[in-house]
Amino acid sequence: MDSRPSLPTDSRRPGRGPLAGVRVLDLSAYIAGPYGCALLADQGADVIKIEPPDGDNLRQYPSTLASESRAFLGVNRSKRGIVLDLKRAQDHAALLRLVREADVLVHNFRPSVPKRLGIDFERLQLINPRLIYCAVSGYGEDGPMKDKAGYDQVLQTLTGMCALQGKRGGPPEIIYGSVVDYYAAALLSGGVASALYERERSGLGQFVGVSLLRSALTMQSARMIWADGEGLDIGRDMRSGGVTGIHPTREGHIYISANTPRFWQALCEKTGLRELAADPRYDSVRKRAQAAAQIVPQLHAALAARSALEWEALFGDEVPCAAARRIEDMFDHPQVLAEGIVAPIEHPGVGRYRAVAQSIKFGRTPGPAAFAAPQLGQDTEAVKRELDESGTVAARKRD
């Protein structure tokens, strides 16, 4: 049984969610690490975000909000926030005290930095053998690139994502939205949860490595197949041809997926192109991809009869599709509202705002209500008081 004293439960984190009672120290910055910790907070973990005196660099990113970075708010929900300068002996000691009572520590320092700061896995494991130590890096802990700075769009470009984005034969194109970072965050959340589960059997913590390189290649697992005996430079593009894709309409654009015989038949029926459905030249995805130059102009002519929203309603459940919308349209989309994905949050500087509040739905152990990302250092004194109180309790137990 774990006999460590427990930090008091913060009033903003009622004991709900499958990870209730798990304490996470988040020393990471930017997106991948912080959002991975936010996903753990969604599941009930008590996450303490630990920032240097200048704060997470994401706080300085461009934002149309007057008092806070929109990106920082989005990836740091439901955390308490403290400031520690790990180069100061007093603050370094405070972190080590937190480590003794923590379940998880997450950072995104380059592999050579933690040892210089005195917070490498080997040292912290001696302090707390049950600690799950998660390191988020650009390229991993080994190899010639391990100490290079890694960023989402750099890894997109390196790993071939950009070469396969955009038009065939065109220049490489970036995928905006930090998709590699967010997928790395999901890997972090899943990896830490698995390590916590394994700890229930072994009683021991372990190192968990998440890298943007691993994330970018894992996202492309369907492309990362090279069979013995085949050429390396072969077709790896997963796109199925000109029919499945985004198309113009009378007003707006619509994405249509028509890869199965059923959906292809329904598309032809709904658009009045029944003769295409009966044509054996187009009776498979591969054939339609090869004949896109003949099919797509006819499809565009038919789609010009209605707007994207009208086609979306007409296709209904028979043709997978979506009218191209703005992100702003999602705040009041009936499906988003029905699922409770977005909720109002109060922030002392920004005021009331609406944001993603629940990333996963749990039936029996729902996660706690989301609260705002912390202002810089807002909980420093409270957490230090908790450390003092827990230290007093531990001393009494020893006596």
Side-chain angles (χ1 to χ4, degrees), residues 287-323:
K287 288 181 181 180
R288 291 194 290 275
Q290 293 168 355
Q294 290 79 49
I295 298 173
V296 171
Q298 297 180 68
L299 178 60
H300 286 181
L303 292 175
R306 291 182 171 87
S307 71
L309 291 174
E310 289 170 336
W311 281 117
E312 184 183 73
L314 180 62
F315 289 150
D317 295 332
E318 297 182 59
V319 180
C321 68

PDB file of all heavy atoms in Angstrom, residues 287-323:
ATOM      1  N   LYS A 287     -11.346   1.916 -60.664  1.00  0.00           N
ATOM      2  CA  LYS A 287     -11.778   2.349 -61.996  1.00  0.00           C
ATOM      3  C   LYS A 287     -12.213   3.810 -61.975  1.00  0.00           C
ATOM      4  O   LYS A 287     -11.917   4.580 -62.897  1.00  0.00           O
ATOM      5  CB  LYS A 287     -12.926   1.462 -62.491  1.00  0.00           C
ATOM      6  CG  LYS A 287     -12.512   0.052 -62.887  1.00  0.00           C
ATOM      7  CD  LYS A 287     -13.726  -0.729 -63.383  1.00  0.00           C
ATOM      8  CE  LYS A 287     -13.355  -2.148 -63.765  1.00  0.00           C
ATOM      9  NZ  LYS A 287     -14.538  -2.916 -64.240  1.00  0.00           N
ATOM     10  N   ARG A 288     -12.943   4.189 -60.912  1.00  0.00           N
ATOM     11  CA  ARG A 288     -13.404   5.587 -60.838  1.00  0.00           C
ATOM     12  C   ARG A 288     -12.233   6.545 -60.650  1.00  0.00           C
ATOM     13  O   ARG A 288     -12.244   7.659 -61.178  1.00  0.00           O
ATOM     14  CB  ARG A 288     -14.421   5.737 -59.698  1.00  0.00           C
ATOM     15  CG  ARG A 288     -15.741   5.025 -59.974  1.00  0.00           C
ATOM     16  CD  ARG A 288     -16.819   5.455 -59.012  1.00  0.00           C
ATOM     17  NE  ARG A 288     -16.622   4.981 -57.656  1.00  0.00           N
ATOM     18  CZ  ARG A 288     -16.995   3.793 -57.210  1.00  0.00           C
ATOM     19  NH1 ARG A 288     -17.568   2.913 -58.038  1.00  0.00           N
ATOM     20  NH2 ARG A 288     -16.817   3.456 -55.952  1.00  0.00           N
ATOM     21  N   ALA A 289     -11.217   6.113 -59.918  1.00  0.00           N
ATOM     22  CA  ALA A 289     -10.035   6.961 -59.751  1.00  0.00           C
ATOM     23  C   ALA A 289      -9.330   7.164 -61.083  1.00  0.00           C
ATOM     24  O   ALA A 289      -8.885   8.276 -61.408  1.00  0.00           O
ATOM     25  CB  ALA A 289      -9.082   6.334 -58.732  1.00  0.00           C
ATOM     26  N   GLN A 290      -9.240   6.107 -61.873  1.00  0.00           N
ATOM     27  CA  GLN A 290      -8.586   6.209 -63.178  1.00  0.00           C
ATOM     28  C   GLN A 290      -9.407   7.030 -64.165  1.00  0.00           C
ATOM     29  O   GLN A 290      -8.858   7.646 -65.084  1.00  0.00           O
ATOM     30  CB  GLN A 290      -8.343   4.797 -63.730  1.00  0.00           C
ATOM     31  CG  GLN A 290      -7.323   4.000 -62.927  1.00  0.00           C
ATOM     32  CD  GLN A 290      -7.298   2.523 -63.298  1.00  0.00           C
ATOM     33  OE1 GLN A 290      -8.122   2.066 -64.097  1.00  0.00           O
ATOM     34  NE2 GLN A 290      -6.369   1.776 -62.730  1.00  0.00           N
ATOM     35  N   ALA A 291     -10.727   7.058 -63.965  1.00  0.00           N
ATOM     36  CA  ALA A 291     -11.607   7.776 -64.893  1.00  0.00           C
ATOM     37  C   ALA A 291     -12.104   9.099 -64.319  1.00  0.00           C
ATOM     38  O   ALA A 291     -13.122   9.639 -64.772  1.00  0.00           O
ATOM     39  CB  ALA A 291     -12.804   6.883 -65.249  1.00  0.00           C
ATOM     40  N   ALA A 292     -11.383   9.637 -63.340  1.00  0.00           N
ATOM     41  CA  ALA A 292     -11.835  10.865 -62.685  1.00  0.00           C
ATOM     42  C   ALA A 292     -12.030  12.015 -63.669  1.00  0.00           C
ATOM     43  O   ALA A 292     -12.949  12.823 -63.524  1.00  0.00           O
ATOM     44  CB  ALA A 292     -10.835  11.272 -61.596  1.00  0.00           C
ATOM     45  N   ALA A 293     -11.184  12.089 -64.676  1.00  0.00           N
ATOM     46  CA  ALA A 293     -11.298  13.189 -65.652  1.00  0.00           C
ATOM     47  C   ALA A 293     -12.626  13.153 -66.399  1.00  0.00           C
ATOM     48  O   ALA A 293     -13.103  14.193 -66.860  1.00  0.00           O
ATOM     49  CB  ALA A 293     -10.129  13.117 -66.630  1.00  0.00           C
ATOM     50  N   GLN A 294     -13.223  11.961 -66.521  1.00  0.00           N
ATOM     51  CA  GLN A 294     -14.522  11.861 -67.192  1.00  0.00           C
ATOM     52  C   GLN A 294     -15.676  12.040 -66.205  1.00  0.00           C
ATOM     53  O   GLN A 294     -16.711  12.626 -66.542  1.00  0.00           O
ATOM     54  CB  GLN A 294     -14.674  10.488 -67.861  1.00  0.00           C
ATOM     55  CG  GLN A 294     -13.785  10.262 -69.079  1.00  0.00           C
ATOM     56  CD  GLN A 294     -12.368   9.906 -68.698  1.00  0.00           C
ATOM     57  OE1 GLN A 294     -12.158   9.024 -67.862  1.00  0.00           O
ATOM     58  NE2 GLN A 294     -11.390  10.589 -69.291  1.00  0.00           N
ATOM     59  N   ILE A 295     -15.507  11.594 -64.966  1.00  0.00           N
ATOM     60  CA  ILE A 295     -16.617  11.608 -64.008  1.00  0.00           C
ATOM     61  C   ILE A 295     -16.783  12.962 -63.323  1.00  0.00           C
ATOM     62  O   ILE A 295     -17.899  13.476 -63.209  1.00  0.00           O
ATOM     63  CB  ILE A 295     -16.393  10.515 -62.936  1.00  0.00           C
ATOM     64  CG1 ILE A 295     -16.357   9.131 -63.574  1.00  0.00           C
ATOM     65  CG2 ILE A 295     -17.479  10.577 -61.873  1.00  0.00           C
ATOM     66  CD1 ILE A 295     -15.974   8.027 -62.621  1.00  0.00           C
ATOM     67  N   VAL A 296     -15.692  13.546 -62.867  1.00  0.00           N
ATOM     68  CA  VAL A 296     -15.771  14.725 -62.013  1.00  0.00           C
ATOM     69  C   VAL A 296     -16.452  15.912 -62.691  1.00  0.00           C
ATOM     70  O   VAL A 296     -17.280  16.585 -62.068  1.00  0.00           O
ATOM     71  CB  VAL A 296     -14.366  15.106 -61.488  1.00  0.00           C
ATOM     72  CG1 VAL A 296     -14.395  16.455 -60.775  1.00  0.00           C
ATOM     73  CG2 VAL A 296     -13.849  14.017 -60.543  1.00  0.00           C
ATOM     74  N   PRO A 297     -16.185  16.226 -63.968  1.00  0.00           N
ATOM     75  CA  PRO A 297     -16.910  17.346 -64.585  1.00  0.00           C
ATOM     76  C   PRO A 297     -18.434  17.137 -64.576  1.00  0.00           C
ATOM     77  O   PRO A 297     -19.192  18.099 -64.373  1.00  0.00           O
ATOM     78  CB  PRO A 297     -16.363  17.376 -66.016  1.00  0.00           C
ATOM     79  CG  PRO A 297     -14.992  16.794 -65.889  1.00  0.00           C
ATOM     80  CD  PRO A 297     -15.122  15.711 -64.866  1.00  0.00           C
ATOM     81  N   GLN A 298     -18.872  15.909 -64.781  1.00  0.00           N
ATOM     82  CA  GLN A 298     -20.314  15.639 -64.734  1.00  0.00           C
ATOM     83  C   GLN A 298     -20.856  15.817 -63.318  1.00  0.00           C
ATOM     84  O   GLN A 298     -21.954  16.353 -63.122  1.00  0.00           O
ATOM     85  CB  GLN A 298     -20.588  14.213 -65.215  1.00  0.00           C
ATOM     86  CG  GLN A 298     -20.198  13.969 -66.672  1.00  0.00           C
ATOM     87  CD  GLN A 298     -20.488  12.547 -67.101  1.00  0.00           C
ATOM     88  OE1 GLN A 298     -21.659  12.143 -67.197  1.00  0.00           O
ATOM     89  NE2 GLN A 298     -19.428  11.779 -67.385  1.00  0.00           N
ATOM     90  N   LEU A 299     -20.079  15.376 -62.331  1.00  0.00           N
ATOM     91  CA  LEU A 299     -20.495  15.535 -60.948  1.00  0.00           C
ATOM     92  C   LEU A 299     -20.582  17.011 -60.574  1.00  0.00           C
ATOM     93  O   LEU A 299     -21.544  17.449 -59.933  1.00  0.00           O
ATOM     94  CB  LEU A 299     -19.506  14.805 -60.033  1.00  0.00           C
ATOM     95  CG  LEU A 299     -19.775  14.902 -58.526  1.00  0.00           C
ATOM     96  CD1 LEU A 299     -21.135  14.323 -58.164  1.00  0.00           C
ATOM     97  CD2 LEU A 299     -18.657  14.200 -57.741  1.00  0.00           C
ATOM     98  N   HIS A 300     -19.599  17.809 -60.984  1.00  0.00           N
ATOM     99  CA  HIS A 300     -19.613  19.241 -60.674  1.00  0.00           C
ATOM    100  C   HIS A 300     -20.800  19.940 -61.320  1.00  0.00           C
ATOM    101  O   HIS A 300     -21.421  20.818 -60.711  1.00  0.00           O
ATOM    102  CB  HIS A 300     -18.307  19.891 -61.119  1.00  0.00           C
ATOM    103  CG  HIS A 300     -17.147  19.560 -60.230  1.00  0.00           C
ATOM    104  ND1 HIS A 300     -15.880  20.053 -60.435  1.00  0.00           N
ATOM    105  CD2 HIS A 300     -17.075  18.764 -59.129  1.00  0.00           C
ATOM    106  CE1 HIS A 300     -15.071  19.586 -59.497  1.00  0.00           C
ATOM    107  NE2 HIS A 300     -15.763  18.799 -58.702  1.00  0.00           N
ATOM    108  N   ALA A 301     -21.119  19.563 -62.531  1.00  0.00           N
ATOM    109  CA  ALA A 301     -22.279  20.160 -63.205  1.00  0.00           C
ATOM    110  C   ALA A 301     -23.556  19.849 -62.444  1.00  0.00           C
ATOM    111  O   ALA A 301     -24.437  20.718 -62.297  1.00  0.00           O
ATOM    112  CB  ALA A 301     -22.368  19.637 -64.634  1.00  0.00           C
ATOM    113  N   ALA A 302     -23.672  18.625 -61.945  1.00  0.00           N
ATOM    114  CA  ALA A 302     -24.866  18.255 -61.186  1.00  0.00           C
ATOM    115  C   ALA A 302     -24.920  18.980 -59.844  1.00  0.00           C
ATOM    116  O   ALA A 302     -25.978  19.459 -59.413  1.00  0.00           O
ATOM    117  CB  ALA A 302     -24.893  16.743 -60.970  1.00  0.00           C
ATOM    118  N   LEU A 303     -23.781  19.090 -59.163  1.00  0.00           N
ATOM    119  CA  LEU A 303     -23.746  19.731 -57.847  1.00  0.00           C
ATOM    120  C   LEU A 303     -24.026  21.226 -57.925  1.00  0.00           C
ATOM    121  O   LEU A 303     -24.421  21.840 -56.917  1.00  0.00           O
ATOM    122  CB  LEU A 303     -22.378  19.496 -57.188  1.00  0.00           C
ATOM    123  CG  LEU A 303     -22.053  18.055 -56.776  1.00  0.00           C
ATOM    124  CD1 LEU A 303     -20.620  17.961 -56.258  1.00  0.00           C
ATOM    125  CD2 LEU A 303     -23.033  17.552 -55.712  1.00  0.00           C
ATOM    126  N   ALA A 304     -23.832  21.827 -59.073  1.00  0.00           N
ATOM    127  CA  ALA A 304     -24.079  23.267 -59.232  1.00  0.00           C
ATOM    128  C   ALA A 304     -25.553  23.620 -59.094  1.00  0.00           C
ATOM    129  O   ALA A 304     -25.909  24.805 -58.984  1.00  0.00           O
ATOM    130  CB  ALA A 304     -23.555  23.739 -60.582  1.00  0.00           C
ATOM    131  N   ALA A 305     -26.420  22.625 -59.034  1.00  0.00           N
ATOM    132  CA  ALA A 305     -27.861  22.891 -58.940  1.00  0.00           C
ATOM    133  C   ALA A 305     -28.293  23.309 -57.540  1.00  0.00           C
ATOM    134  O   ALA A 305     -29.361  23.912 -57.379  1.00  0.00           O
ATOM    135  CB  ALA A 305     -28.647  21.648 -59.370  1.00  0.00           C
ATOM    136  N   ARG A 306     -27.498  22.993 -56.519  1.00  0.00           N
ATOM    137  CA  ARG A 306     -27.889  23.284 -55.140  1.00  0.00           C
ATOM    138  C   ARG A 306     -26.677  23.771 -54.344  1.00  0.00           C
ATOM    139  O   ARG A 306     -25.534  23.612 -54.765  1.00  0.00           O
ATOM    140  CB  ARG A 306     -28.457  22.028 -54.453  1.00  0.00           C
ATOM    141  CG  ARG A 306     -29.795  21.556 -54.990  1.00  0.00           C
ATOM    142  CD  ARG A 306     -30.273  20.333 -54.212  1.00  0.00           C
ATOM    143  NE  ARG A 306     -31.643  19.976 -54.546  1.00  0.00           N
ATOM    144  CZ  ARG A 306     -31.988  19.194 -55.552  1.00  0.00           C
ATOM    145  NH1 ARG A 306     -31.035  18.675 -56.344  1.00  0.00           N
ATOM    146  NH2 ARG A 306     -33.261  18.915 -55.780  1.00  0.00           N
ATOM    147  N   SER A 307     -26.966  24.321 -53.168  1.00  0.00           N
ATOM    148  CA  SER A 307     -25.895  24.743 -52.273  1.00  0.00           C
ATOM    149  C   SER A 307     -25.349  23.533 -51.526  1.00  0.00           C
ATOM    150  O   SER A 307     -25.968  22.457 -51.478  1.00  0.00           O
ATOM    151  CB  SER A 307     -26.419  25.765 -51.262  1.00  0.00           C
ATOM    152  OG  SER A 307     -27.283  25.139 -50.326  1.00  0.00           O
ATOM    153  N   ALA A 308     -24.205  23.737 -50.883  1.00  0.00           N
ATOM    154  CA  ALA A 308     -23.591  22.651 -50.121  1.00  0.00           C
ATOM    155  C   ALA A 308     -24.499  22.178 -48.995  1.00  0.00           C
ATOM    156  O   ALA A 308     -24.638  20.967 -48.751  1.00  0.00           O
ATOM    157  CB  ALA A 308     -22.240  23.111 -49.560  1.00  0.00           C
ATOM    158  N   LEU A 309     -25.140  23.112 -48.302  1.00  0.00           N
ATOM    159  CA  LEU A 309     -26.036  22.733 -47.205  1.00  0.00           C
ATOM    160  C   LEU A 309     -27.253  21.980 -47.726  1.00  0.00           C
ATOM    161  O   LEU A 309     -27.745  21.042 -47.072  1.00  0.00           O
ATOM    162  CB  LEU A 309     -26.454  23.970 -46.411  1.00  0.00           C
ATOM    163  CG  LEU A 309     -25.344  24.639 -45.588  1.00  0.00           C
ATOM    164  CD1 LEU A 309     -25.851  25.937 -44.971  1.00  0.00           C
ATOM    165  CD2 LEU A 309     -24.828  23.696 -44.495  1.00  0.00           C
ATOM    166  N   GLU A 310     -27.757  22.380 -48.877  1.00  0.00           N
ATOM    167  CA  GLU A 310     -28.900  21.674 -49.456  1.00  0.00           C
ATOM    168  C   GLU A 310     -28.517  20.253 -49.858  1.00  0.00           C
ATOM    169  O   GLU A 310     -29.283  19.298 -49.626  1.00  0.00           O
ATOM    170  CB  GLU A 310     -29.435  22.453 -50.664  1.00  0.00           C
ATOM    171  CG  GLU A 310     -30.133  23.755 -50.278  1.00  0.00           C
ATOM    172  CD  GLU A 310     -30.446  24.629 -51.478  1.00  0.00           C
ATOM    173  OE1 GLU A 310     -29.756  24.486 -52.527  1.00  0.00           O
ATOM    174  OE2 GLU A 310     -31.359  25.465 -51.369  1.00  0.00           O
ATOM    175  N   TRP A 311     -27.341  20.092 -50.466  1.00  0.00           N
ATOM    176  CA  TRP A 311     -26.893  18.749 -50.823  1.00  0.00           C
ATOM    177  C   TRP A 311     -26.678  17.905 -49.573  1.00  0.00           C
ATOM    178  O   TRP A 311     -27.026  16.709 -49.549  1.00  0.00           O
ATOM    179  CB  TRP A 311     -25.600  18.812 -51.638  1.00  0.00           C
ATOM    180  CG  TRP A 311     -25.798  19.158 -53.087  1.00  0.00           C
ATOM    181  CD1 TRP A 311     -25.335  20.254 -53.742  1.00  0.00           C
ATOM    182  CD2 TRP A 311     -26.512  18.372 -54.067  1.00  0.00           C
ATOM    183  NE1 TRP A 311     -25.716  20.222 -55.065  1.00  0.00           N
ATOM    184  CE2 TRP A 311     -26.440  19.078 -55.286  1.00  0.00           C
ATOM    185  CE3 TRP A 311     -27.210  17.175 -54.018  1.00  0.00           C
ATOM    186  CZ2 TRP A 311     -27.029  18.618 -56.454  1.00  0.00           C
ATOM    187  CZ3 TRP A 311     -27.814  16.697 -55.186  1.00  0.00           C
ATOM    188  CH2 TRP A 311     -27.715  17.412 -56.388  1.00  0.00           C
ATOM    189  N   GLU A 312     -26.120  18.487 -48.532  1.00  0.00           N
ATOM    190  CA  GLU A 312     -25.904  17.754 -47.284  1.00  0.00           C
ATOM    191  C   GLU A 312     -27.220  17.200 -46.750  1.00  0.00           C
ATOM    192  O   GLU A 312     -27.292  16.037 -46.324  1.00  0.00           O
ATOM    193  CB  GLU A 312     -25.255  18.671 -46.248  1.00  0.00           C
ATOM    194  CG  GLU A 312     -24.896  18.002 -44.941  1.00  0.00           C
ATOM    195  CD  GLU A 312     -24.319  18.981 -43.934  1.00  0.00           C
ATOM    196  OE1 GLU A 312     -25.097  19.805 -43.390  1.00  0.00           O
ATOM    197  OE2 GLU A 312     -23.099  18.920 -43.688  1.00  0.00           O
ATOM    198  N   ALA A 313     -28.269  18.040 -46.794  1.00  0.00           N
ATOM    199  CA  ALA A 313     -29.580  17.581 -46.332  1.00  0.00           C
ATOM    200  C   ALA A 313     -30.156  16.515 -47.261  1.00  0.00           C
ATOM    201  O   ALA A 313     -30.759  15.535 -46.798  1.00  0.00           O
ATOM    202  CB  ALA A 313     -30.533  18.774 -46.226  1.00  0.00           C
ATOM    203  N   LEU A 314     -29.986  16.695 -48.560  1.00  0.00           N
ATOM    204  CA  LEU A 314     -30.538  15.744 -49.525  1.00  0.00           C
ATOM    205  C   LEU A 314     -29.837  14.390 -49.443  1.00  0.00           C
ATOM    206  O   LEU A 314     -30.482  13.332 -49.486  1.00  0.00           O
ATOM    207  CB  LEU A 314     -30.411  16.307 -50.937  1.00  0.00           C
ATOM    208  CG  LEU A 314     -30.953  15.425 -52.078  1.00  0.00           C
ATOM    209  CD1 LEU A 314     -32.459  15.208 -51.912  1.00  0.00           C
ATOM    210  CD2 LEU A 314     -30.660  16.062 -53.433  1.00  0.00           C
ATOM    211  N   PHE A 315     -28.526  14.397 -49.286  1.00  0.00           N
ATOM    212  CA  PHE A 315     -27.784  13.140 -49.204  1.00  0.00           C
ATOM    213  C   PHE A 315     -28.110  12.387 -47.910  1.00  0.00           C
ATOM    214  O   PHE A 315     -28.138  11.157 -47.897  1.00  0.00           O
ATOM    215  CB  PHE A 315     -26.275  13.397 -49.279  1.00  0.00           C
ATOM    216  CG  PHE A 315     -25.792  13.830 -50.631  1.00  0.00           C
ATOM    217  CD1 PHE A 315     -24.684  14.667 -50.745  1.00  0.00           C
ATOM    218  CD2 PHE A 315     -26.412  13.397 -51.791  1.00  0.00           C
ATOM    219  CE1 PHE A 315     -24.218  15.062 -51.984  1.00  0.00           C
ATOM    220  CE2 PHE A 315     -25.949  13.791 -53.045  1.00  0.00           C
ATOM    221  CZ  PHE A 315     -24.860  14.629 -53.137  1.00  0.00           C
ATOM    222  N   GLY A 316     -28.350  13.138 -46.834  1.00  0.00           N
ATOM    223  CA  GLY A 316     -28.722  12.526 -45.570  1.00  0.00           C
ATOM    224  C   GLY A 316     -27.748  11.443 -45.139  1.00  0.00           C
ATOM    225  O   GLY A 316     -26.532  11.632 -45.142  1.00  0.00           O
ATOM    226  N   ASP A 317     -28.299  10.269 -44.777  1.00  0.00           N
ATOM    227  CA  ASP A 317     -27.462   9.152 -44.343  1.00  0.00           C
ATOM    228  C   ASP A 317     -27.032   8.252 -45.496  1.00  0.00           C
ATOM    229  O   ASP A 317     -26.279   7.293 -45.286  1.00  0.00           O
ATOM    230  CB  ASP A 317     -28.223   8.295 -43.321  1.00  0.00           C
ATOM    231  CG  ASP A 317     -28.516   9.051 -42.038  1.00  0.00           C
ATOM    232  OD1 ASP A 317     -27.736   9.972 -41.713  1.00  0.00           O
ATOM    233  OD2 ASP A 317     -29.509   8.718 -41.373  1.00  0.00           O
ATOM    234  N   GLU A 318     -27.470   8.563 -46.692  1.00  0.00           N
ATOM    235  CA  GLU A 318     -27.208   7.658 -47.814  1.00  0.00           C
ATOM    236  C   GLU A 318     -25.858   7.903 -48.479  1.00  0.00           C
ATOM    237  O   GLU A 318     -25.302   6.992 -49.110  1.00  0.00           O
ATOM    238  CB  GLU A 318     -28.328   7.783 -48.848  1.00  0.00           C
ATOM    239  CG  GLU A 318     -29.698   7.366 -48.302  1.00  0.00           C
ATOM    240  CD  GLU A 318     -30.777   7.458 -49.359  1.00  0.00           C
ATOM    241  OE1 GLU A 318     -30.646   6.792 -50.398  1.00  0.00           O
ATOM    242  OE2 GLU A 318     -31.734   8.228 -49.155  1.00  0.00           O
ATOM    243  N   VAL A 319     -25.352   9.136 -48.372  1.00  0.00           N
ATOM    244  CA  VAL A 319     -24.036   9.471 -48.932  1.00  0.00           C
ATOM    245  C   VAL A 319     -23.226  10.180 -47.840  1.00  0.00           C
ATOM    246  O   VAL A 319     -23.605  11.272 -47.419  1.00  0.00           O
ATOM    247  CB  VAL A 319     -24.145  10.386 -50.168  1.00  0.00           C
ATOM    248  CG1 VAL A 319     -22.747  10.709 -50.703  1.00  0.00           C
ATOM    249  CG2 VAL A 319     -25.010   9.754 -51.238  1.00  0.00           C
ATOM    250  N   PRO A 320     -22.147   9.603 -47.342  1.00  0.00           N
ATOM    251  CA  PRO A 320     -21.329  10.292 -46.343  1.00  0.00           C
ATOM    252  C   PRO A 320     -20.823  11.623 -46.905  1.00  0.00           C
ATOM    253  O   PRO A 320     -20.196  11.659 -47.970  1.00  0.00           O
ATOM    254  CB  PRO A 320     -20.175   9.317 -46.087  1.00  0.00           C
ATOM    255  CG  PRO A 320     -20.707   7.986 -46.497  1.00  0.00           C
ATOM    256  CD  PRO A 320     -21.625   8.256 -47.646  1.00  0.00           C
ATOM    257  N   CYS A 321     -21.102  12.700 -46.194  1.00  0.00           N
ATOM    258  CA  CYS A 321     -20.726  14.019 -46.715  1.00  0.00           C
ATOM    259  C   CYS A 321     -20.758  15.037 -45.601  1.00  0.00           C
ATOM    260  O   CYS A 321     -21.281  14.783 -44.511  1.00  0.00           O
ATOM    261  CB  CYS A 321     -21.685  14.442 -47.834  1.00  0.00           C
ATOM    262  SG  CYS A 321     -23.364  14.770 -47.241  1.00  0.00           S
ATOM    263  N   ALA A 322     -20.213  16.208 -45.896  1.00  0.00           N
ATOM    264  CA  ALA A 322     -20.294  17.341 -44.983  1.00  0.00           C
ATOM    265  C   ALA A 322     -20.067  18.615 -45.764  1.00  0.00           C
ATOM    266  O   ALA A 322     -19.130  18.708 -46.561  1.00  0.00           O
ATOM    267  CB  ALA A 322     -19.257  17.242 -43.866  1.00  0.00           C
ATOM    268  N   ALA A 323     -20.945  19.582 -45.563  1.00  0.00           N
ATOM    269  CA  ALA A 323     -20.708  20.911 -46.111  1.00  0.00           C
ATOM    270  C   ALA A 323     -19.514  21.525 -45.392  1.00  0.00           C
ATOM    271  O   ALA A 323     -19.365  21.362 -44.177  1.00  0.00           O
ATOM    272  CB  ALA A 323     -21.946  21.783 -45.924  1.00  0.00           C
TER     273      ALA A 323
END
